[in-house]
Structures are given as C-alpha cells and as structure tokens.
Amino acid sequence: MSTRTESRLTQRWGRWVVPYAALWITMLIGGVVVVSLALWSAEVYDNVVDDAGLANLDKPTLAFMEQVRNPALDAFVTGFTNIGGGVGMPILASILTAWLIWASRTWRPLILIGGAAAVSTTATTLGKKLVGRTRPDHADAVPPYENSPSFPSGHTLNTTVVIALVVYLACLQLRRTVVRVGLIAAGVIFIGAMGMSRVFLGHHWMTDVIMGWVLGLAWVGIVIMAHRLFHALRHREHAGPAPTFDHPAHLRDGEAAASGGSGIARPAATGTPDTPGPSGGSSATG
C-alpha cells in the first residue's frame, strides 16, 4: 500500500508540480527582469529625455493634440481612457479572463493574466516613484486632472499586458486564421489608442507612453515564453492536456478507466495548445 501511494504521489508530482513550477519560476524570473528594466529606464531617463528630448518629441506631440481637441472628442476620449484606469481595467480584465476560463475549461488564464497584471502594476508603481516625472501642465490637459507621477504611463503599460495576453490566449481557442488576424488587429488598435489617448488628454508625455508600450510588450513576451515552456514540459512528460471542467478524470490517474466506465470520459488525444478541438477550440489550450 505504501509503495502504491508513493507511486501515485510521484506521478502526480511529475504531472502537476514540475510543469507548473516551471511556469511560475519563468514568470517570476521574467517579472524580476521587467521590474529591473523599469528601474534601469528610470536611471537613464534623465540622460535620454532632457530638455532637447522634450522639445523634439513630447512638446510638439502635445501641441498637435491640443489643436485637434473639441468638446465632443474630449468627452469620448475621456470615456475611453477610463477603461484603462485603476477601476476600468480590473473590471475589463476580470470579464475577459472569466470568458477565457470558460472557453478553455482551464484556470490557466487566471494564473497568466493575474500574475502578469501584478508585475506590470508593480513596475508602474516603482517607475513612477523613482522617476517622479511631472505630468504636463493642467493648462494643457483635459479635466479631470491627474497629479501622480507621469513616467511610465500606467494606463498604457497595464492595457498592453492585459489585452495582449487576452488576444494570445483567445487565438489559441480559434481555428480560423481570418478571425485570429482580426482579433490581433483589434488588440493592436486598442493598445495603441489607449496610449495615444493619454497624450491627447494631456495626462502624459509621449515618452511616458512609449516606455509603457516597450515594458508591456517585453513582459508579455516573457509570459508567453513561460506558457509555451509549460506546455513543452507537459508534452515531454506525456501528461496530456491539463485537467479541465469537462475532463476531471485526469485527476484520477486512470482510476476511471480501471473502474469499467464510471461515466467520466477521458480525452481521446493529448493535443497541443494550437491543435483545434472538436468544438472549434483547442484541445489543450490556455
């Protein structure tokens, strides 16, 4: 009995702990790298964005935005930019993550998006505190005004991370290339528009937004790499797809099959994250 128990524990350790440990370790190391990059960017900031930099990029961009403003457009952009704020983005991220959990029948979207958002928020907070850059004057901005430090743009950074990962995970559920391309295009437009809305309203300098995009995309790349590594390890261990709401038999290590048909169906194939399942989604996505 003891040997059988030890065997089960060993199997489950290899099936669950090792792949998930690789996922978390990779994301942890990547998170440290991204936060360090944010701190490093703060260190070199004064040498890169001096008065000449403001004159060549930030101030002309802000001046152009002021020329195209009008009351109706100001109100629309203000409503849009609130989606990426401290209230709007958590709500949007929760809704999209819940949809991905339902579509993929796995909790990994919560791990990936939640962990990634936590790191991006940390990078934003540390960057703002360390740089302490002043936002554009209120005379050049559209109310309601913001007084927290300007660099980097938190709206841009967090929106880039959340939306890019949602698009990545959603594409794993889709079979049609045209739908994937459309979803990617929509994500790029949303991320770009969110960043430019901050400049349009005079709440950030253009360089704040550019750094938000750079840090966000770097972090997204690391998270995607961690996700692919997770699936590679699971495939190497022949563990098949992770347990889902529809296939709890994975948790039983074959007991369902040995019991002579307990009514719980086992998946017919292990699949990979990009292999479409019979319902149009992927058989091991998320």
Side-chain angles (χ1 to χ4, degrees):
M1 180 65 69
S2 176
T3 303
R4 184 177 179 182
T5 302
E6 292 176 359
S7 177
R8 287 185 178 180
L9 291 176
T10 301
Q11 290 178 2
R12 294 187 180 185
W13 175 273
R15 178 170 293 185
W16 302 115
V17 177
V18 174
Y20 278 104
L23 176 63
W24 280 112
I25 291 173
T26 304
M27 289 183 64
L28 177 62
I29 295 175
V32 172
V33 170
V34 170
V35 172
S36 299
L37 180 60
L39 298 179
W40 174 80
S41 68
E43 291 291 334
V44 303
Y45 178 79
D46 289 336
N47 296 325
V48 176
V49 186
D50 52 13
D51 291 338
L54 288 173
N56 290 330
L57 178 61
D58 287 342
K59 290 182 177 179
T61 305
L62 179 59
F64 172 78
M65 293 299 184
E66 290 183 86
Q67 294 175 4
V68 299
R69 289 175 187 165
N70 61 66
L73 187 58
D74 293 353
F76 173 80
V77 176
T78 298
F80 173 75
T81 202
N82 287 338
I83 298 175
V87 176
M89 183 48 60
I91 293 175
L92 178 61
S94 298
I95 294 173
L96 294 175
T97 302
W99 174 78
L100 287 169
I101 291 172
W102 174 82
S104 64
R105 302 299 192 271
T106 173
W107 294 103
R108 278 197 295 281
L110 179 62
I111 298 174
L112 294 172
I113 297 176
V119 171
S120 68
T121 301
T122 301
T124 299
T125 302
L126 293 178
K128 286 179 179 294
K129 288 184 177 180
L130 189 57
V131 177
R133 186 187 193 190
T134 304
R135 294 177 185 265
D137 293 337
H138 288 174
D140 300 321
V142 175
Y145 304 117
E146 299 182 22
N147 298 307
S148 60
S150 183
F151 181 91
S153 169
H155 281 64
T156 304
L157 175 54
N158 295 321
T159 296
T160 300
V161 170
V162 171
I163 298 302
L165 285 177
V166 167
V167 169
Y168 163 70
L169 293 172
C171 283
L172 296 182
Q173 304 296 325
L174 302 172
R175 297 200 312 186
R176 298 182 61 185
T177 301
V178 65
V179 178
R180 291 182 176 181
V181 172
L183 184 61
I184 293 172
V188 170
I189 292 173
F190 188 91
I191 291 170
M194 182 59 67
M196 295 309 300
S197 73
R198 308 304 292 159
V199 182
F200 176 87
L201 295 172
H203 295 168
H204 279 286
W205 302 103
M206 189 67 209
T207 44
D208 303 333
V209 171
I210 292 175
M211 184 52 65
W213 283 330
V214 171
L215 289 174
L217 291 176
W219 177 221
V220 168
I222 293 172
V223 174
I224 292 177
M225 180 182 66
H227 186 234
R228 307 310 293 184
L229 176 61
F230 168 81
H231 278 290
L233 288 174
R234 288 192 59 78
H235 181 72
R236 188 185 68 181
E237 297 295 331
H238 305 287
T244 66
F245 301 141
D246 289 340
H247 300 298
H250 280 297
L251 296 175
R252 304 193 177 190
D253 292 328
E255 288 181 5
S259 64
S262 60
I264 301 178
R266 297 181 63 86
T270 56
T272 64
D274 295 318
T275 302
S279 63
S282 301
S283 59
T285 54

